[in-house]
Amino acid sequence: MVVNVAAFIASLDGAAPAPDLNAPLAGLWWAGKGDWDQAHKIVQDESSREAAWVHAYLHRVEGDLGNAGYWYRQAGQPAAKDSLEAEWQRIAVTLLGSTT
């Protein structure tokens, strides 16, 4: 899993995410690049718990804590209490661990 996360982080140097990334990981990839609009577009129509978690994270980054709370509940996740960077890492580790 550590190798997967390292490869995922290294992929942020690219111009686009790998084509085989699922929507939550692609959204997280765009968030890692700082393109919040593209990240939102990718996860907003997904109904998975993982997409809801990424959506919650995006709202948290933007300071929209009301919507973040809604999406955390949809994801079945507790509201994050760690730093934004630590949460991004935790989401990446979880999502990459579920794809192996």
Side-chain angles (χ1 to χ4, degrees):
M1 186 167 17
V2 173
V3 172
N4 287 343
V5 173
F8 180 72
I9 291 170
S11 78
L12 292 173
D13 289 337
D20 60 342
L21 286 183
N22 61 30
L25 277 172
L28 191 62
W29 188 92
W30 284 108
K33 295 284 277 189
D35 190 336
W36 310 116
D37 290 338
Q38 186 63 23
H40 272 291
K41 285 179 191 174
I42 290 170
V43 297
Q44 70 186 0
D45 294 327
E46 290 292 315
S47 60
S48 71
R49 295 177 79 162
E50 292 84 4
W53 191 10
V54 173
H55 210 162
Y57 169 78
L58 296 174
H59 282 292
R60 181 177 175 219
V61 168
E62 296 167 334
D64 184 356
L65 301 182
N67 274 324
Y70 170 82
W71 287 107
Y72 281 119
R73 288 188 297 279
Q74 296 303 307
Q77 292 286 335
K81 295 183 179 11
D82 50 6
S83 71
L84 293 171
E85 296 79 15
E87 185 179 7
W88 189 95
Q89 185 79 8
R90 187 166 44 93
I91 295 170
V93 166
T94 303
L95 294 180
L96 287 165
S98 68
T99 62
T100 57

